[in-house]
Amino acid sequence: MTADDRSTRKVLAIVTNHGVEQDELLVPQEHLCGRDVQVSVAAVSTDDVRTLVGDRNPGRTVRPGLTLADVDPAAYDLLLIPGGTLNADALRQQDDALRIVRAFVSSGRPVAAICHGPWALVEAGVVAEKRLTSYPSLKTDIRNAGGEWTDEPVVTDDRHGWRLVTSRTPRDLEPFLREVDAALAAGSR
C-alpha cells in the first residue's frame, strides 16, 4: 500500500461506552493512524468510552467522534469491531451496530473483529458459511449461527463476496493487524 493509498483509507471502529478491551481498540487505532489511515470511533453516545484491561481493570478513556446512529457506513473502507466481554455483549444489542455490520457485508467491504467482537457478526446473521476465530467462549455461538470456528491466531475468509478478518485475543494483535493492513491494501473505493 502506498502512502497515497493509505491517506484516503478510512476505518470505522464501533464500540459501546463501557467495557471495550483497551488494546483491542487503541492498538489498532494507533497502528492505523501511524500509517496515515483515518480512524473514526463510533459509540452509543458521545460520552467518553471507558476501556478496560482484562475485562476488569480501568483503562484509558477515548472520546468517540460520532454515535452509532450517526454513522454513514458508505463513508468507510473497513469496519473494526473490538472485543471486551461487556462491550461486545452490549454492542450486539444495538440496532445501529447491526445496521452498520450488515451494510459493510452487503457492500462487500471488509470487516475485522477480535476476541468477543464476532458476537456482533453472529447477531447480524452474517457468519453462515464463513470461517473465523474468536475468544473460545464464542465457539458454540458461531457454530450455531452457521460459521466454521477454528482456534488460530488470525483467520481471513474472502468467501461470499466480502473479507472477514478475525482474531482470538490481544495476544494475537500482531498477525491481526497484518491482515487488517492487507484487507485495506486489497480494497478499492
Side-chain angles (χ1 to χ4, degrees):
M1 181 179 344
T2 69
D4 289 336
D5 293 336
R6 284 192 307 257
S7 65
T8 62
R9 297 291 179 207
K10 292 182 178 181
V11 169
L12 174 67
I14 58 172
V15 298
T16 60
N17 293 85
H18 178 74
V20 65
E21 184 66 30
Q22 174 182 278
D23 286 353
E24 294 172 12
L25 173 61
L26 295 179
V27 171
Q29 182 182 35
E30 291 166 2
H31 169 87
L32 292 165
C33 288
R35 286 162 173 71
D36 297 324
V37 174
Q38 296 175 24
V39 179
S40 297
V41 176
V44 176
S45 75
T46 56
D47 295 333
D48 286 346
V49 172
R50 302 287 179 177
T51 70
L52 294 176
V53 177
D55 273 339
R56 64 185 170 277
N57 298 319
R60 292 174 34 200
T61 300
V62 176
R63 172 65 75 180
L66 67 166
T67 67
L68 295 171
D70 292 333
V71 168
D72 173 9
Y76 299 93
D77 300 293
L78 182 138
L79 176 61
L80 173 67
I81 309 173
T85 308
L86 296 174
N87 169 71
D89 189 44
L91 188 66
R92 69 182 172 157
Q93 298 175 57
Q94 296 293 319
D95 290 337
D96 285 315
L98 302 180
R99 171 187 60 84
I100 293 164
V101 168
R102 290 179 186 126
F104 270 84
V105 171
S106 68
S107 67
R109 285 170 293 141
V111 176
I114 185 168
C115 199
H116 287 81
W119 257 342
L121 304 172
V122 168
E123 196 67 32
V126 300
V127 300
E129 300 179 16
K130 292 294 262 188
R131 184 172 174 270
L132 62 156
T133 193
S134 67
Y135 194 78
S137 65
L138 275 66
K139 172 176 45 177
T140 300
D141 294 336
I142 289 168
R143 288 179 175 161
N144 286 342
E148 177 189 338
W149 188 86
T150 185
D151 185 14
E152 296 178 37
V154 66
V155 175
T156 299
D157 187 324
D158 289 323
R159 292 180 291 175
H160 308 295
W162 63 286
R163 179 173 286 188
L164 175 59
V165 177
T166 52
S167 203
R168 300 175 301 195
T169 71
R171 290 186 311 270
D172 300 320
L173 278 165
E174 185 177 329
F176 178 69
L177 292 173
R178 184 176 57 244
E179 291 300 312
V180 167
D181 287 343
L184 281 170
S188 62
R189 285 187 61 76

